[in-house]
Amino acid sequence: MDFLVVGAGVAGLRAAVGLAGQGDVLVVTKESLGESNTHYAQGGIAVAAEDGEDVSLHLEDTVRAGDGLVYRPAAEALVSEGPLRVAELIEWGTNFDLATDSEGRRLNGQFLRTREGAHSLARILHANGDATGAEISRALLAHARGQKCIRFAEWTQVTRLLTEGGRVVGAELECAGGTGAQEPPRSVRARAVLLASGGAGQVYAETTNPAVATGDGIALAREAGAELADMEFYQFHPTALALAGAPRFLLSEALRGEGAYLRNERGERFMERYHPLLELAPRDVVARAIAREGMASQDRTSGEAKNANPGTRPVYLDMRHIRNVDLHRRFPGISAFLARYGLDLACDLVPVRPAAHYLMGGIRTDLAGRASLAGLYAAGEAACTGVHGANRLASNSLLEGLVFGARAAQAILADGLPLVRVRAERLQAAKPLRPAEEQRVEDAIAGLRSAMWAHAGVLREESGLRAGMAVQAECEAALAQLAGQPRSGRRWTEARALSRVAGAILQSALARRESRGAHFRSDHPRRDDENFQKHSELGRDGRVQFEKW
Ligand code: SIN
């Protein structure tokens, strides 16, 4: 085969479309097509409004939100190529919501645009109210399915990247469960491998991400010897539902874009104490403010100790004052989800708390998706171009997937690497875990996720990060005990990935002894440009270094 694309979210699909016609493309995904972070994106896709001036405003907003660490050429590529990539999406059948007059008549095909945190104006397109990711996925997938040379392998995971002479030349694949055909493990060769496998929210006990987000691609790249960057920067979405017994369902920032207030337990609109943009401050600022307010109410009621990423009490989203928007029509998915728990956006206070949402770091790439190993490319959340710096601007992620997915495809074609024959290698028969072993793996993962939330969450400090390292080492040891013979199975692969990604986050967070964007160290609460206005790089030798890009 010519090109192997790992992941079927927006970055993987856009890259596959760019490669189609130039060779065979195999897109593998470990669940069914459509199950990705992309699918669950609610708020929308940020893209400069039609007037040319907004490209530079979008750039400035992106750079400002990134807290001094955005790699400007990456952000320039994002905002200047974004409008073209979104126009393609529309041509391929994506239906963004259209503006209507008071009688519901369409206004010359104009799109509705909303505003989210740290945007200087309303530029975010959305679809079906709050189901933007699902609509983009649907249209992109339909377009990709129409290309003859793209094949899809669902319920398939990559267990190892194959390298030869320092170049990635293929991958080992195995069945990842599900209802599909139980194919035996196999190795495939490809001229290029693109990792577009998304983020790793599952490394935290509290996350808005679906179960598939276990950082598999990042761990594969690291195992093969590729460099990672900025792994300490995990974005915590300020407003995930905080209701006992309910999942940490995302409550889109677009709710605040339409005017929602945040109130603490005493009913105060507390954001005025934290930022002049109030509820539309950058995400990192809002997440920390919520954590602090939650901790304050916890102290008042229980006298429990501070530093409580895990136990902070919720604050509340309040939309009861909003009269000019039909909230149930504007947010149908959120309204339906809340109704299951007896809550109504228009008349109830909705309890929220931050949860892990988006990894700004990842596999270090150049602006064309090239990783540090020849033959290996990455795009979207799995990659780190420096485009988000220390804190991603709201709704820039779908745009990132489109722009850098397209760029990666162009680079793969331009590089024109030949197919390399690897030594014919029989895949060793791998053993699935027995039930008792599976339980040990689940226990190790659960311990790791809790430790990550407690110690590498919204608020961090050295002693906690070291405690997190100790738990990660225990998790590695538990997995090593089971790795005496080759193992197979989805949870096995995911556990190894989660452990490695957690290690990289902890190590990078310990090394960055300052606070910036999403990385807040209570023991180093100030931004330190002199020493740390640099990107962290986790190299082959396992050391973290800081470099200016
Ligand atoms: C949201 O709708 O708040 C999430 C969008 C994003 O992560 O940018």
Side-chain angles (χ1 to χ4, degrees), residues 42-43 116 237 250 252-253 283 357 392 394-395 397:
Q42 294 177 355
E116 293 182 14
H237 197 287
L250 178 69
S252 175
E253 193 153 326
R283 236 173 227 186
H357 184 61
R392 175 174 63 83
S395 286
S397 53

Side-chain angles (χ1 to χ4, degrees), residues 266 291-301 306 312-313:
R266 286 190 286 204
R292 291 200 184 289
E293 292 293 318
M295 276 160 54
S297 47
Q298 182 177 35
D299 287 347
R300 269 195 303 276
T301 53
K306 290 206 172 189
T312 49
R313 295 167 73 99

